[in-house]
Amino acid sequence: QSVLTQPPSASAAPGQRVTISCSGITSNIGSHTISWYQHLPGTAPKLLIFSTNQRPSGVPDRFSGSKSGNSASLAISGLQSEDEGAYYCAAWDDSLNGGVFGGGTKVTVL
Amino acid sequence: EVQLVESGGGLVQPGGSLKLSCAASGFTYDDYAMNWVRQAPGKGLEWVSGLTWNSGTIVYADSVKGRFTISRDNAKNSLYLQMNSLRPDDTALYFCAKGLTLHPSGAFDYWGQGILVTVSS
């Protein structure tokens, strides 16, 4: 069971918007910034968002992150077929003194 | 171009040992924390261990504490994971992951392709 809680799946039609939630507690999301990763089969995970809402260079602005209290979310707008894959949130946890991930959300483009 | 290349994986019996290596290039290695993250078959990502740029702070997930040892050699731009007392539930694809700052955090901007470790009799 993962420390951060994500829905197992999410879906939307091409061009639509999908939002993925990530729920934690004070010692992780409540106290630290969040990062989000895209993981496609057979590839290395890719950083999409760091510091809760910052995009690395090269990541389209269709991807955006936010946080409120002990919860965070990743929004993908203008959904494209190549966005299909697994998405993970991550943060530092002060109680565990280590990194923690969500269980992952599989995004399907209908 | 940043590159992280893992090696040293394979099949090992329960109770056995294995040492993973990660060769880094394309960035100033000793300016960043480094980490190991794993993914068991059909499961999600799990952070395993991380250390600061100078190995001054080393942290482990509870699931590997006391069995795994992370280390780095800044002169060789290399990261290591010594895995002892291996169990079947350590079977996973192990990724080397670069941190964003000097200290371990929940953020990793570059990842290797991963190396498979299988623990089975």
Side-chain angles (χ1 to χ4, degrees):
Chain A
Q1 184 143 348
S2 301
V3 174
L4 305 180
T5 301
Q6 296 180 237
S9 63
S11 61
Q16 296 301 303
R17 176 185 172 99
V18 67
T19 301
I20 301 168
S21 61
C22 175
S23 178
I25 59 177
T26 303
S27 61
N28 44 60
I29 293 180
S31 301
H32 295 279
T33 61
I34 313 305
S35 56
W36 289 90
Y37 304 87
Q38 178 192 60
H39 194 197
L40 307 179
T43 69
K46 175 185 176 183
L47 177 66
L48 292 176
I49 298 288
F50 67 98
S51 295
T52 301
N53 56 15
Q54 302 299 302
R55 284 185 308 277
S57 60
V59 173
D61 59 5
R62 303 186 296 106
F63 296 90
S64 61
S66 63
K67 183 179 94 165
S68 178
N70 294 336
S71 293
S73 62
L74 172 72
I76 310 173
S77 59
L79 201 61
Q80 301 177 2
S81 57
E82 55 261 40
D83 296 333
E84 279 204 340
Y87 291 79
Y88 294 87
C89 59
W92 189 258
D93 189 298
D94 289 333
S95 296
L96 297 174
N97 197 28
V100 290
F101 282 94
T105 298
K106 179 167 180 176
V107 168
T108 302
V109 181
L110 300 172
Chain B
E1 178 195 5
V2 173
Q3 284 197 316
L4 299 170
V5 180
E6 302 94 340
S7 61
L11 174 64
V12 61
Q13 292 190 336
S17 297
L18 210 55
K19 186 173 184 177
L20 304 183
S21 298
C22 170
S25 61
F27 64 101
T28 305
Y29 183 69
D30 53 8
D31 274 354
Y32 298 95
M34 295 295 295
N35 302 266
W36 290 98
V37 177
R38 69 184 180 183
Q39 184 177 34
K43 303 293 185 182
L45 299 173
E46 179 190 16
W47 176 84
V48 173
S49 181
L51 76 174
T52 51
W53 66 282
N54 63 352
S55 305
T57 298
I58 294 177
V59 284
Y60 298 97
D62 287 344
S63 58
V64 307
K65 204 171 291 182
R67 300 186 300 122
F68 289 12
T69 302
I70 190 174
S71 62
R72 65 190 293 164
D73 185 335
N74 288 348
K76 295 182 178 179
N77 286 4
S78 293
L79 178 71
Y80 307 101
L81 187 67
Q82 176 67 47
M83 304 184 293
N84 297 332
S85 303
L86 282 161
R87 311 187 300 222
D89 62 359
D90 293 317
T91 295
L93 191 62
Y94 284 75
F95 296 98
C96 168
K98 173 185 169 292
L100 269 68
T101 65
L102 294 166
H103 302 278
S105 68
F108 322 99
D109 56 355
Y110 291 95
W111 301 61
Q113 288 297 314
I115 191 79
L116 184 61
V117 171
T118 303
V119 184
S120 174
S121 54

